[in-house]
Amino acid sequence: MSLQSKIKTTPNCAIFCRHYQQHLEDASNKTPEERITFRSYLKWTSAELAVKTHGPCKIYFALGVDSLVRYEAILELVELEPKPNTHLTNNLLQKCLPSTQNEGLWEKENGKIGVKTLYVISHCHRLLEPFPQTKLVKLSDNHPIDENFIRSYVLVYEI
């Protein structure tokens, strides 16, 4: 079964990704319902499909190359290939943390856009008991995430 088919038939899918501790800490200090926009230089195509198919889902965060999941949130929205100066993109960028507010879409000198995905989270909180990323099982092959897994994101089954 293809990953797309698995996503469409698995309502308890979630996302595992990595982020900076300071940004996650800042997000966790917001009110739970407040939506916060983060950026990625990769296209989160499968994450977008999961949210479009099933609605908001859990997102688990590890820090840098750490193999412990330390934060959890709700992934509310995934916007691929955001276009500069559109109402939607401007609205999403207004929801960025103050520390990243001026980063825009990581525009380059040649006019190309570095951001391939804007994703919006809510209910971010630090886990009282962090757990190893190896506890998460990948949707693609039903195997646990390897302890050396350092890719940007992967779909997993919700715990």
Side-chain angles (χ1 to χ4, degrees), residues 91-111:
N91 186 34
L92 292 176
L93 290 175
Q94 287 177 2
K95 293 174 174 35
C96 290
L97 294 167
S99 59
T100 65
Q101 192 74 50
N102 296 323
E103 292 182 11
L105 295 174
W106 299 336
E107 292 88 349
K108 300 179 181 178
E109 288 181 20
N110 61 5

Side-chain angles (χ1 to χ4, degrees), residues 35-38 74-77 92 118-122:
R35 287 179 156 83
I36 298 146
T37 301
F38 287 141
I74 301 296
L75 180 62
E76 302 278 351
L77 175 86
L92 292 176
L118 292 174
Y119 62 100
V120 179
I121 66 165
S122 67

Side-chain angles (χ1 to χ4, degrees), residues 19-30 36 38 61 63 70-71 97 99 121 124-127:
H19 216 301
Y20 297 103
Q21 180 173 2
Q22 188 58 56
H23 297 319
L24 292 169
E25 193 62 33
D26 290 348
S28 70
N29 287 327
K30 301 286 186 181
I36 298 146
F38 287 141
F61 292 100
L63 308 174
R70 297 183 185 273
Y71 289 83
L97 294 167
S99 59
I121 66 165
C124 184
H125 62 276
R126 179 188 277 272
L127 296 173

